[in-house]
Amino acid sequence: RFQAFVYFASVFQAMSCGIHYLASVFMAVTPNFVCGIPGNVSSVLFYNSSESNLEDIWTLWTSTEKYIVVQLENGEIWELNQCSRSKREMSFDLAYEYKGNKSVFSCSDGFLYDDTKWKSTVVTQWELVCDREWLAKLIQPTFMLGVLIGAVIFGDIADRLGRQRVIWFTSASQFVFGIAVAFTFDYYSFVIVRFLLAMVSSGYLVVAFVYVTEFVGIKARTWASMHVHAFFAVGIMIVALVGFFVRTWWVYQICLSIATLPFVLCCWMLPETPFWLLSEERYEDAQKVINIMARWNKVSTPCKVSELCSVQQDDLVSGRMGDNDTSSTKKHNILDLFCNWHIARRTITVWLIWFTGSLGYYVFSLSSVSLGGNEYLNLFLIGAVELPCYIIACIGMDKLGRRNTLIPFLIFSALICVLIMFIPQDFNTLIILANMAGKFSIGVAFGLIYLYTAELYPTIVRSLAVGSGSMMCRVGSVVAPFCVYLRSVWIFMPLLLVGIMALLSGILTIMLPETLGKPLTNTLVEATEMGRSKKSCSGKTPPAHSGGALDKIEMFGQETVSTEK
């Protein structure tokens, strides 16, 4: 009961991360627009359609390369393009085609926007079009850069100050910065506050993974950690729903930020993890948390910290005696991931999978609003398709193995990218279904790589391996928005890049060893042998110890399950 409360309370706030990560798909959308008009309009002409006001023309607007002809009350006739306007000389007849002289002017009177879908976006608010269009395209990449930096900073702070304090700070900051974004006064303050919001959102997501993992027992750990992603996907679905009902960007941002207010009000109730307290030798505080767990779970004989510490000391001594190849005082760095050819090849492959998973995930998500049809429904479905993919990933990992699940889904996502290129653009429904299939397959690979990376490396560099892989994941998320913008070069360019990366990753994954049912390795020598020999060290090498105290607490968590049953 206690673990369930802590788990669902913690992952509920993960929805806010999904919300803020994808909020810009509607908040920073660029509607149809043309140059502003230097006077009052009497009539508007677009091809053979004539209207009395510009608002009625937007439904006919099909291409940014076309122009609109307007006649002012003073008789002047202007051609309005997106980034320029032309005044017809010596022409008083309103006709679409004109071969006479024109005077070209800049858009000094601003721009006119199509507000039939969005009443206001940050693009229309600060006119981020034409020569300022690049500022609009930097909104999502700068956010993802904040995600990268936040993951590094808050991951380190959580190890130093504890998981509880970071969860308190980042969850409260998400709400504060989320509301603050809506009240920014210019583009630069908007980007800065969003950058800070990205840092705390990423920080919360990283620490929440660690937090729930340290509370959940061994049997449920794979499913529990995997489904943190599912709550992130629910956040994407909330973005689609709020975007459908709210069409003004700052109101939309406030509504999204308020969605997770309940957690901010109750997050102070979450305790520190016994794992971290024991590592800091705060034994009395650890005992208090264990006693609270016992009361919630109705366990009459809770663990004693004194017993846990004695077991931990025994395991530490036996671990040192059984492993003379490593020194506890040795400092390890990123170069240890390239200590020999086998480990180096493994590292390059794992980094590529992390990068490809993140790149594909955000390319499919960010591109969903450009697929045609209802963009809100598209994004909702792209989020919803993630929910079953994590279930499939968990089943596949346990039944088929990590590598045997990863390879087919990576290659399948590459094939989907190629298939989409051959679907006619008029078949919107088929295109959307294919994109959902692509998001599903890349989502399985993306969710699986977390656990697989931890099992591929020995204890002495395991955290370093997962951390460096996560860094490549953040790099992929920074590159993804720029990849999506390549649609302006060729509509299938993003899919082509994702497909090539996924196919390459799938082929290289064949050379990785399977880790299902094998003990965790302790040294780089053991990790290398796991990759070179099919016999591996199964039955010969004991699994890596995380400390007897930790095992005892996990057993205590499992006792809860049997008691409730």
Side-chain angles (χ1 to χ4, degrees):
R1 188 179 295 110
F2 180 86
Q3 282 86 342
F5 168 76
V6 169
Y7 176 76
F8 286 107
S10 301
V11 298
F12 176 82
Q13 184 69 357
M15 289 192 302
S16 68
C17 300
I19 286 172
H20 294 305
Y21 277 40
L22 273 296
S24 67
V25 294
F26 297 130
M27 183 166 54
V29 69
T30 301
N32 294 325
F33 68 95
V34 292
C35 235
I37 307 169
N40 296 323
V41 177
S42 60
S43 59
V44 183
L45 181 66
F46 182 71
Y47 282 105
N48 297 324
S49 301
S50 179
E51 301 290 345
S52 58
N53 56 69
L54 191 59
E55 287 73 15
D56 298 327
I57 292 293
W58 290 124
T59 56
L60 306 174
W61 185 270
T62 56
S63 174
T64 58
E65 298 177 357
K66 305 303 179 182
Y67 58 88
I68 296 175
V69 179
V70 298
Q71 186 172 33
L72 305 184
E73 291 180 349
N74 60 8
E76 294 180 350
I77 298 177
W78 291 76
E79 293 180 8
L80 305 180
N81 292 291
Q82 284 199 321
C83 298
S84 66
R85 57 188 180 179
S86 304
K87 179 183 177 182
R88 293 179 178 179
E89 303 294 345
M90 305 303 291
S91 175
F92 299 98
D93 296 327
L94 186 61
Y96 193 75
E97 299 293 339
Y98 177 74
K99 299 185 181 299
N101 295 328
K102 304 175 186 178
S103 299
V104 180
F105 298 89
S106 62
C107 301
S108 56
D109 293 298
F111 300 87
L112 298 174
Y113 298 95
D114 177 10
D115 61 358
T116 54
K117 283 188 177 181
W118 299 280
K119 298 301 180 184
S120 172
T121 71
V122 295
V123 173
T124 63
Q125 177 93 10
W126 296 304
E127 298 195 336
L128 306 178
V129 293
C130 296
D131 58 338
R132 288 168 57 86
E133 182 183 9
W134 66 276
L135 293 173
K137 291 186 175 181
L138 282 179
I139 289 175
Q140 189 65 17
T142 52
F143 184 91
M144 289 303 183
L145 182 61
V147 168
L148 189 155
I149 296 174
V152 176
I153 292 176
F154 287 104
D156 181 64
I157 293 176
D159 287 338
R160 296 173 184 271
L161 302 182
R163 290 78 165 98
Q164 180 192 50
R165 293 179 182 178
V166 174
I167 283 180
W168 288 356
F169 176 79
T170 53
S171 57
S173 297
Q174 277 189 83
F175 176 75
V176 172
F177 288 136
I179 297 295
V181 166
F183 295 97
T184 48
F185 52 87
D186 63 7
Y187 169 81
Y188 298 102
S189 61
F190 170 82
V191 170
I192 291 172
V193 176
R194 282 255 306 168
F195 182 84
L196 297 175
L197 175 61
M199 289 181 61
V200 296
S201 297
S202 174
Y204 180 87
L205 195 60
V206 169
V207 177
F209 265 107
V210 177
Y211 188 77
V212 299
T213 300
E214 292 182 351
F215 267 114
V216 176
I218 297 174
K219 293 181 179 179
R221 183 169 295 163
T222 299
W223 285 77
S225 61
M226 185 71 75
H227 281 80
V228 175
H229 295 287
F231 283 85
F232 185 94
V234 172
I236 297 176
M237 297 163 66
I238 291 174
V239 169
L241 291 173
V242 174
F244 178 78
F245 291 106
V246 183
R247 306 298 178 90
T248 302
W249 78 266
W250 60 271
V251 179
Y252 161 86
Q253 176 65 27
I254 291 175
C255 292
L256 291 177
S257 301
I258 290 177
T260 54
L261 180 60
F263 179 81
V264 177
L265 298 177
C266 69
C267 66
W268 58 271
M269 299 170 59
L270 296 177
E272 185 55 81
T273 68
F275 286 80
W276 185 83
L277 292 172
L278 287 172
S279 68
E280 294 293 310
E281 299 182 354
R282 292 169 54 179
Y283 303 119
E284 293 184 2
D285 293 331
Q287 186 65 64
K288 290 178 182 178
V289 175
I290 292 172
N291 291 339
I292 293 174
M293 294 169 68
R295 287 197 298 271
W296 273 66
N297 298 334
K298 298 180 180 180
V299 177
S300 57
T301 56
C303 297
K304 299 296 183 182
V305 168
S306 56
E307 298 174 2
L308 299 178
C309 293
S310 63
V311 172
Q312 189 177 31
Q313 292 298 325
D314 292 341
D315 285 348
L316 185 60
V317 172
S318 62
R320 286 176 176 174
M321 292 176 63
D323 186 6
N324 296 322
D325 297 330
T326 62
S327 171
S328 61
T329 60
K330 181 183 178 181
K331 299 290 184 179
H332 295 279
N333 55 51
I334 197 73
L335 296 179
D336 288 310
L337 300 180
F338 299 88
C339 63
N340 59 56
W341 164 243
H342 297 281
I343 297 297
R345 184 177 60 187
R346 185 178 306 176
T347 299
I348 293 172
T349 302
V350 167
W351 282 4
L352 185 63
I353 298 170
W354 278 92
F355 178 85
T356 303
S358 180
L359 180 69
Y361 182 94
Y362 286 107
V363 164
F364 280 115
S365 297
L366 295 172
S367 299
S368 62
V369 295
S370 306
L371 299 178
N374 189 310
E375 56 267 36
Y376 305 102
L377 179 60
N378 294 349
L379 184 63
F380 184 88
L381 293 176
I382 285 292
V385 77
E386 284 189 57
L387 302 182
C389 92
Y390 298 128
I391 298 176
I392 298 298
C394 290
I395 295 174
M397 283 193 295
D398 291 340
K399 302 297 183 181
L400 302 177
R402 284 71 160 122
R403 183 187 63 181
N404 296 336
T405 302
L406 187 59
I407 293 172
F409 278 103
L410 281 172
I411 295 178
F412 181 67
S413 62
L415 295 177
I416 288 293
C417 291
V418 175
L419 176 64
I420 294 174
M421 297 181 191
F422 292 96
I423 300 176
Q425 292 300 295
D426 296 335
F427 291 63
N428 287 336
T429 302
L430 193 57
I431 291 175
I432 293 169
L433 291 175
N435 274 270
M436 289 176 63
K439 176 69 178 298
F440 179 93
S441 56
I442 206 72
V444 171
F446 193 28
L448 186 153
I449 192 61
Y450 282 83
L451 179 62
Y452 193 29
T453 302
E455 294 176 339
L456 283 172
Y457 290 89
T459 304
I460 57 174
V461 293
R462 185 168 295 124
S463 295
L464 188 62
V466 175
S468 63
S470 179
M471 183 67 69
M472 294 303 298
C473 164
R474 311 303 172 190
V475 173
S477 65
V478 173
V479 173
F482 293 108
C483 187
V484 173
Y485 297 148
L486 291 176
R487 285 175 61 92
S488 60
V489 178
W490 184 42
I491 191 172
F492 297 123
M493 183 64 76
L495 291 173
L496 178 63
L497 295 177
V498 172
I500 292 173
M501 298 297 292
L503 181 62
L504 180 60
S505 300
I507 294 173
L508 292 177
T509 303
I510 297 174
M511 296 184 289
L512 295 179
E514 179 56 69
T515 60
L516 177 64
K518 296 181 180 179
L520 296 178
T521 55
N522 289 318
T523 67
L524 288 166
V525 174
E526 294 172 0
T528 303
E529 289 300 318
M530 179 176 65
R532 297 174 61 183
S533 173
K534 292 184 178 180
K535 295 180 181 180
S536 77
C537 342
S538 182
K540 297 180 181 180
T541 305
H545 290 286
S546 57
L550 311 187
D551 297 335
K552 290 275 285 186
I553 293 176
E554 288 173 345
M555 292 171 63
F556 174 66
Q558 295 304 317
E559 184 178 338
T560 302
V561 178
S562 60
T563 303
E564 290 181 350
K565 287 180 180 178

